[in-house]
């Protein structure tokens, strides 16, 4: 995945493929990342995955 546009939204399906896990697991991880980063919005962006050390 290109990380040039760090404000691009990340879907749950994309997270599933990035992590190499099943969709139900990706849903849980998606919410875990949102909670741990204490985000007020209900979606992840590439910059969030960089902050969470999933992407560099």
């Amino acid at each position: 995945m290109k990380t040039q546009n760090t404000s691009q939204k990340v879907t749950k399906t994309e997270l599933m493929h990035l992590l190499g896990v099943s969709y139900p697991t990706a849903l849980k991880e998606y919410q875990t990342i949102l909670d741990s980063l204490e985000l007020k919005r209900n979606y992840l962006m590439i910059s969030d995955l960089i902050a969470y050390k999933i992407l560099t």
Side-chain angles (χ1 to χ4, degrees):
M1 175 182 283
K2 294 181 183 178
T3 58
Q4 293 174 354
N5 183 4
T6 59
S7 63
Q8 181 179 344
K9 289 182 181 180
V10 177
T11 67
K12 294 169 182 80
T13 305
E14 289 171 330
L15 185 64
M16 174 186 76
H17 291 295
L18 281 171
L19 298 177
V21 297
S22 66
Y23 189 75
T25 302
L27 292 176
K28 292 175 189 172
E29 290 298 321
Y30 200 90
Q31 191 60 50
T32 299
I33 296 168
L34 284 172
D35 293 344
S36 75
L37 293 176
E38 299 177 349
L39 300 174
K40 303 250 187 270
R41 59 187 189 281
N42 293 326
Y43 58 88
L44 291 174
M45 297 188 309
I46 291 176
S47 59
D48 301 326
L49 299 184
I50 292 170
Y52 203 70
K53 309 286 191 225
I54 292 175
L55 294 176
T56 56

